[in-house]
Every structure is written in structure tokens, then in C-alpha cells.
Amino acid sequence: MIEQALANPWIRQLANAALLLAVINLGVLVLIYMERKVAGFIQSRLGPVHVGPRGWLQSVADALKLILKEDIIPAPADRFLFVLAPFFVFVPVLAVFLVLPFNAGWVAHDFSLAALYVIAAGTVAIMGIVMAGWGTNNKYSLLGGLRSAAQLVSYEIPVVLAILAVVFYAQSMSLVDIAEAQRGFGWFIFHPPLLVAAFVYMIGQLAETNRTPFDLPEAESELVSGFHTEYSGIRFAMFFLAEFANTFFAAALAVVLFFGGWDGLPGLTGALWLVAKSYVLVFVLMWIRWTLPRVRVDQLLGFAWKVLVPIGLIVVLWAAASVVYAGGAKP
Amino acid sequence: MGEVNPDLQSRVVKFPGGGVLVAGIDEIFNWARSNSMWSLTFGLSCCAIEMMATAASHYDLDRFGILFRATPRQADVMIVAGWVSVKMAPFIRRLYDQMPDPKHVLAMGGCACAGGPYRDSETIVKGVGEIVPVDVFVYGCPPRPENLIHGLILLQERIREESILGVRKREPITVQG
């Protein structure tokens, strides 16, 4: 019965999407707990300890409380944009997970342009952020939304260049092929051009996920909370969910692109290796977030266009040259 | 303010097992609400320094799941830390109105509770209770972080006694300085 139903491609994709949604939601609860604990230990505090054993249930309590809060739509807001914006931010994040390979054969949908699709689908979220900023009719939200748009558009380019360098090495845009090409510890991070590309990618993703050295869109000391200033309860929870899911996706994509995907020591399932490596990278992102101060907005854009983009272009040329003249992926 | 249909209570009791159902839901909802009291970031004067110290490394409010949100739309508890001038009062009322229900107010320090040493001044409101309904008064000048934490724990206990059906108890709790 279940096999018959799963043979239908539509039902199969729906089942995959539902499974991914569950995994993402659980993963985000873990990430929020981890963020607060890491923040605590970095600031020599403890973080949550009272709710559940060692505070494990803290994010469950937070999520439940946010669902139960009053849902406010401010009178001057544009209702249509205000209601639609959280979905525009959350759905692209869910959509990019569809092509992420967790293990050999563990991918909801693999196709030959997956790397391009990740970039294209991820960019739709900027629309949602600008909609939220404009639709709430609040000056802080508008400034936050516009800053966010400028930042995300600028940092998308170095990320694309870094992914392009990887695509040269793997000779494919399918994420499954890219991960397969690194089997047996032939990780792309060990190749000099891609080591630089990995740095460019991580800095770019740090900015795209709005984390602290680049968290200008929601800078508390100047913009209250940026584009989600007027959102309360469940709608704010969706922005929060999207932000943390995006952080996890950025780390998981880095693992697939540079750190061998599900490749690891034998004995454990590949998916566990992928998730473990992703969490290490997420920890690095949190470490940076709670250590560095915020940059200024002109420094932010100057850094993207004057430093990261030129480095990205050089890396692309370097990667292309090493693929053509030095045999590239087989050192 | 949680004032639902007054005869709702009697209807639920008529429904067999209704009381048990509501009690179970109350327990779960109150657990979530009392363990995730996000507080609004603002300080009016010197008590704010003590409030920041309570949130920082030594006393660490995040242990109880209390963290500070910059926007009233995402806050559950308003800690009024410091004297409230007549000029500031409308803004405090506005911030309170912008917070989504269920919301609570904690008045921190002698000035926020009753005007403190400025009680005779015409420019100071004689306690924030005159503009917003206060749940917990924490006296002291300023209250020590332990006192503020004690007030917050009493507020948690108060939230655990609330019900989705009934009117909230409004007699404020007082923590002596």
C-alpha cells in the first residue's frame, strides 16, 4: 500500500517535503538551544539551565509561547504584504533543502542544475524581506529591509563565484555529483584555489544569514529589530525559523561543496557525518557571531565589492587554470 | 486582558471532562509562557544598570529563559527600571499597548514602584502603576540582582496560576528591598 502510493512521483515528492519540514523544524530547535548555550559559554555564563534537563526544552517552550501569543497586524500596515512576507522568506529556505544530498541516494530531488537552483531559489527570500520592510509601514522596518536587500545582493556574488570554482573542479552542477567527486578524502578544501573559495563562501554566507559581523539588517542598537520589528507571535517565529534553517543550510552546503559531503571514516552512516560536519561549521559561525563586533554599513558594502568580489574572480580564474593545465580534481 | 466571556467557566464545567481538558491545556500553556518571558529592552535610569548586570555573566537571566528583545511586538514582560517622568509616561503606556497579550509588567526600584525620593516632584509619576497595570513591585534603591530575580520567579509562579478561561488575578506582588 505505502510502496504503491510512493511510486506516484507527486506523492513521493510531497512525502519528501513533509519529512524535510519535520527535520528542519527539529534541527532549528536544536540550533536555537545550541546558539544560546554557545553564547552563554562564550560570555562566561551558563545559558538556559532550568527548563527540562540542562535546559534542553528551552526552545520548545519558546516556540510554543510564540505560537500562543497575540497576532498583531498594525493598522497602517499593508495587510496583503504583511501576511505574505513570512512565507516568502520561509518557503525558499525549505525549497533549497530539496536538493541537499544527505547521503548517497538520500536526496529529495537531484537534478543537473542543483547548484544554480540553490542560488536562484535562495535569492527569492530577499523579496520577502523587502516586502516585510515595506509592508509594515514602519521606518525602522523599511531601513532594515533595504539594508538587507543591499547586503544580500552584494554578498550573493562572491558566494556564486566560490560555488562556480567548485563546479569547475567537479565538472557538474549537481550537488550529488559534487559530493561524489570528493569520495575517499579527496575533499575540495585540500585544493589551494578551493581553500580560498571556501573562505570567500563562508564570509559571504555569514553576511547572507545576517549573522553578527554583518547583522546590520536587524542591528538592535539602531534599527530596533530591522525588517521584523512589527511582527509578533507565529509570524515572527517563521522569520526566526527561516533564519536558523538558512544558517544550517549554509553550513550543510559548505560541507557538500568543500568538506566531502557525506564522506567520512567508515562505520557510521554518511548522513551522520554530513550533519556532524555541518554542526561544526555552524559552531564556527556562532563563535564568530559572539566574538566580533558589528561592521559599519559602508565598510560592509566596500568589503564585498572591493575585496571579496576581486578575490572571487581571481579564484575562479585560478580554479579554471588548475583544472585545464594541472589536471584539477586529480592532484 | 484575558477577560473572556464571563459565563465560559460555567459552560466548561457543564461539559463532562471539560475541566480536566482545560486544566491540562492550562498546564502546558503556562509552562511555555512562564519559561519563556522575553523582556523588553529599555531602561529609564540607574536601575537599568542593575537590570543589565542581572542579565550579564554573574547573574545570567538567560538561565530562566529570559532574554531581551528590542521590539515590544516580541516581548512578554516589561521591566520598568527607574523613575518615570511625566514626559516619558505616554511612551511607556504606548510601548505597553504595543506588546501582544499575554503581557506582564514588573516595576523595578523604589522610583518605578512609588516615586522614590522624587515622590514630591511634580515632574515624576508617583509609581508606574498609575499608567500601566503592574504585576510585581520590586523595591530597593536599586534592588540587588537577587531581588530582581526573586521578583521574576514570583512572576513565573503567578503566570503558572493563570487560566485560558478566567480573569487574571490583579493584586500585585511586592518584593521588599
Side-chain angles (χ1 to χ4, degrees):
Chain A
M1 181 67 194
I2 293 173
E3 279 91 30
Q4 275 175 357
L6 284 181
N8 183 333
W10 286 96
I11 295 179
R12 197 181 169 79
Q13 293 296 4
L14 273 179
N16 278 335
L19 188 66
L20 270 177
L21 193 61
V23 169
I24 293 169
N25 283 331
L26 274 178
V28 166
L29 289 184
V30 174
L31 274 186
I32 294 173
Y33 172 70
M34 179 175 159
E35 170 100 56
R36 290 173 78 166
K37 275 296 192 190
V38 169
F41 288 132
I42 286 177
Q43 299 172 344
S44 71
R45 297 186 284 119
L46 288 175
V49 288
H50 283 298
V51 193
R54 287 173 172 273
W56 285 8
L57 293 173
Q58 184 61 57
S59 11
V60 180
D62 284 337
L64 188 58
K65 181 215 69 180
L66 280 174
I67 291 168
L68 296 172
K69 288 292 275 189
E70 184 186 0
D71 177 30
I72 294 178
I73 300 181
D78 182 331
R79 279 186 79 94
F80 182 69
L81 290 183
F82 187 89
V83 172
L84 206 59
F87 295 95
F88 258 73
V89 175
F90 178 63
V91 172
V93 178
L94 177 63
V96 290
F97 270 94
L98 288 176
V99 294
L100 183 73
F102 284 91
N103 199 348
W106 286 23
V107 56
H109 189 72
D110 179 45
F111 65 110
S112 55
L113 286 175
L116 184 65
Y117 166 80
V118 163
I119 297 159
T123 316
V124 177
I126 300 175
M127 276 279 292
I129 289 175
V130 175
M131 277 162 70
W134 183 259
T136 45
N137 209 348
N138 174 318
K139 52 188 177 298
Y140 298 117
S141 298
L142 182 59
L143 279 172
L146 291 181
R147 268 192 193 181
S148 202
Q151 172 175 332
L152 265 58
V153 168
S154 305
Y155 278 86
E156 194 75 46
I157 295 164
V159 168
V160 171
L161 291 173
I163 294 178
L164 195 60
V166 174
V167 169
F168 284 167
Y169 267 75
Q171 302 281 314
S172 167
M173 288 187 102
S174 154
L175 292 181
V176 173
D177 288 350
I178 289 175
E180 285 285 353
Q182 310 174 54
R183 285 210 107 146
F185 288 95
W187 298 0
F188 283 153
I189 190 86
F190 300 142
H191 299 271
L194 294 188
L195 178 65
V196 183
F199 272 102
V200 173
Y201 173 88
M202 286 312 278
I203 295 173
Q205 285 292 16
L206 206 60
E208 293 220 359
T209 50
N210 288 343
R211 298 184 81 74
T212 279
F214 309 111
D215 75 337
L216 289 135
E218 40 193 292
E220 281 136 312
S221 44
E222 22 189 311
L223 287 182
V224 190
S225 278
F227 59 89
H228 54 62
T229 298
E230 292 283 355
Y231 282 87
S232 68
I234 182 82
R235 294 181 208 282
F236 165 68
M238 280 181 76
F239 281 119
F240 213 55
L241 192 65
E243 189 183 317
F244 275 87
N246 206 2
T247 307
F248 181 76
F249 182 77
L253 188 63
V255 169
V256 169
L257 291 175
F258 301 105
F259 296 91
W262 57 83
D263 188 42
L265 295 172
L268 276 178
T269 325
L272 283 180
W273 281 110
L274 182 123
V275 171
K277 283 189 269 186
S278 308
Y279 270 97
V280 171
L281 280 185
V282 169
F283 171 73
V284 173
L285 290 178
M286 288 175 179
W287 185 6
I288 294 171
R289 172 177 185 174
W290 293 100
T291 309
L292 297 179
R294 187 178 298 140
V295 298
R296 233 168 39 216
V297 69
D298 57 321
Q299 293 169 334
L300 173 94
L301 294 181
F303 182 67
W305 291 105
K306 291 180 198 156
V307 180
L308 277 188
V309 171
I311 292 179
L313 287 171
I314 292 168
V315 162
V316 166
L317 286 178
W318 186 8
S322 38
V323 169
V324 172
Y325 296 111
K330 294 160 206 71
Chain B
M1 300 305 344
E3 270 104 344
V4 209
N5 190 354
D7 56 272
L8 197 59
Q9 183 85 47
S10 57
R11 285 185 198 184
V12 168
V13 175
K14 273 178 209 157
F15 177 67
V20 178
L21 190 74
V22 168
I25 290 175
D26 272 346
E27 201 161 310
I28 296 168
F29 284 14
N30 289 342
W31 171 80
R33 282 171 183 159
S34 63
N35 282 316
S36 163
M37 303 196 301
W38 293 1
S39 150
L40 187 55
T41 311
F42 77 104
L44 295 174
S45 57
C46 29
C47 277
I49 303 296
E50 211 70 8
M51 182 176 74
M52 290 173 219
T54 319
S57 305
H58 262 85
Y59 295 96
D60 188 16
L61 278 182
D62 199 23
R63 283 181 299 153
F64 306 98
I66 298 168
L67 49 87
F68 287 89
R69 294 295 309 173
T71 157
R73 301 286 190 207
Q74 292 149 20
D76 310 299
V77 177
M78 185 157 99
I79 301 179
V80 184
W83 43 259
V84 182
S85 63
V86 172
K87 214 172 176 180
M88 193 67 193
F91 300 107
I92 291 189
R93 180 68 213 190
R94 187 171 175 189
L95 283 172
Y96 178 78
D97 288 338
Q98 282 177 332
M99 282 163 61
D101 265 319
K103 51 193 170 186
H104 297 86
V105 179
L106 186 146
M108 178 182 179
C111 305
C113 292
Y118 311 106
R119 196 175 165 80
D120 294 333
S121 163
E122 61 183 8
T123 53
I124 299 294
V125 176
K126 285 145 193 67
V128 74
E130 295 193 1
I131 32 179
V132 291
V134 178
D135 291 278
V136 182
F137 288 106
V138 180
Y139 280 87
C141 192
R144 282 196 56 86
E146 290 91 340
N147 265 14
L148 178 59
I149 290 174
H150 183 54
L152 286 165
I153 288 173
L154 288 178
L155 182 57
Q156 281 187 330
E157 280 169 12
R158 185 187 182 122
I159 293 174
R160 289 196 192 108
E161 289 166 9
E162 283 172 5
S163 167
I164 53 168
L165 289 176
V167 185
R168 281 215 305 250
K169 275 196 286 183
R170 269 297 171 198
E171 307 84 58
I173 304 168
T174 304
V175 179
Q176 293 300 334

